[in-house]
Amino acid sequence: MGCKGKARQDKGASPPKPRVSKATPSEQEDELRAALTGRLLLLRYQPIIRLRNGHIAALEGLVRWPRQEALLQAGAFVPLAEKLGLALDLTHAVLERVAHDWQQTPSPKGGLAVNMPLSVLMLQETPALLAATRRRHGAGRRPLLLELTETEAIRDPSRLRRVMLRLKRLGIPVLLDDVTLGDHRWRLAGLPFAGLKLDRSLVEALPRQMRARHFLRRILSDSHAKGRYVIAEGVSTPLLHRTARGLGVDFAQGFLLGQPAPPQHNRGGQTRLSPARRGGRAP
């Protein structure tokens, strides 16, 4: 949660990798467990921008691990956490950090998004945990949004639908994250996703691949008809920005539009996440 499950960089141009001295697998495991127990993880927030007018609609929290004078990105330790069965512990740690940071983000208008793996989303205690976080630290402020990561296949859509509807009643919408070219998870009938996020690989293919543009147009047509919004990740150049906007994508994030920063360095939300075109209201 608050991270991408697979090992990759943030949603923009890849920054230089920090130098961290090597440790044995056992030492890495011990250090990570200690970081989770000691609540040492941080979140850096990247703005999600409405392409139509440049207004900030939400912030996405990206998890960081301060280790050996470096600030490690999610890809450097989240796969290890999942391998060790610490996904729920990581979720608890990120929610605690969200609760701490929530009051430092300046406006209640836009959403605050964090990532969550399917295995944690489907746990019986997860909705209550999320509701408690909102009650204690965020009720009446910015909405909490969940981004469902792509590390696990959706094998039980009916059960997932029940969980998502329960979260929707709690005021916690779920987005489908990391939609790649040819990825048809967005077509699963009956799943009440509030929006979809296009993976950086798909966004980067748009200027040069007709197939990618056709695929995106199908996503946009279906999403807008159902009242869902579409967000392009990894918008790191003016060309990608122009292409996504010209094709009708609703929102975008990436290093061109704003780099991940501490909560107090982000401007408040100026708008809300909703489809830019007609076709119904966002769930």
Side-chain angles (χ1 to χ4, degrees), residues 74-283:
F77 63 91
V78 170
L80 175 61
E82 293 181 341
K83 181 180 178 181
L84 296 172
L86 298 175
L88 183 57
D89 299 84
L90 180 59
T91 296
H92 277 278
V94 169
L95 283 177
E96 284 297 317
R97 179 52 58 176
V98 166
H100 175 271
D101 293 346
W102 213 320
Q103 304 304 323
Q104 300 182 52
T105 52
S107 169
K109 200 168 186 181
L112 195 157
V114 290
N115 297 170
M116 179 171 284
L118 181 63
S119 60
V120 174
L121 185 67
M122 299 287 270
L123 292 176
Q124 186 175 357
E125 63 264 39
T126 295
L129 175 65
L130 293 165
T133 300
R134 291 185 73 247
R135 284 195 306 271
R136 293 198 320 262
H137 304 283
R141 286 182 55 81
R142 61 177 66 244
L144 179 64
L145 313 165
L146 302 181
E147 298 184 10
L148 181 62
T149 58
E150 83 295 0
T151 53
E152 302 165 76
I154 299 174
R155 294 189 170 87
D156 192 346
S158 297
R159 183 182 169 200
L160 177 57
R161 181 177 183 273
R162 291 193 297 271
V163 172
M164 292 174 65
L165 288 174
R166 182 180 175 190
L167 291 172
K168 183 179 177 180
R169 289 193 294 270
L170 294 171
I172 304 174
V174 179
L175 315 182
L176 181 61
D177 201 5
D178 300 315
V179 175
T180 57
L181 182 59
D183 181 353
H184 293 291
R185 291 175 300 153
W186 59 278
R187 299 181 63 182
L188 289 172
L191 291 181
F193 290 110
L196 310 179
K197 299 193 76 176
L198 309 176
D199 188 78
R200 185 170 110 189
S201 61
L202 173 55
V203 173
E204 291 178 343
L206 292 175
R208 52 187 171 81
Q209 289 189 23
M210 183 67 72
R211 177 169 170 250
R213 293 192 292 276
H214 283 320
F215 183 68
L216 174 58
R217 289 188 181 104
R218 289 169 57 198
I219 290 177
L220 289 168
S221 176
D222 180 82
S223 297
H224 290 158
K226 294 176 179 176
R228 297 172 179 165
Y229 44 84
V230 177
I231 303 170
E233 297 179 342
V235 175
S236 56
T237 68
L239 174 60
L240 294 179
H241 182 274
R242 290 194 303 272
T243 303
R245 181 177 179 178
L247 289 169
V249 176
D250 305 305
F251 301 91
Q253 68 185 110
F255 281 9
L256 178 70
L257 305 171
Q259 298 198 23
Q264 63 271 23
H265 293 172
N266 282 286
R267 290 182 291 146
Q270 301 158 295
T271 185
R272 294 185 183 276
L273 290 167
S274 61
R277 297 186 175 185
R278 295 181 180 178
R281 299 179 62 184

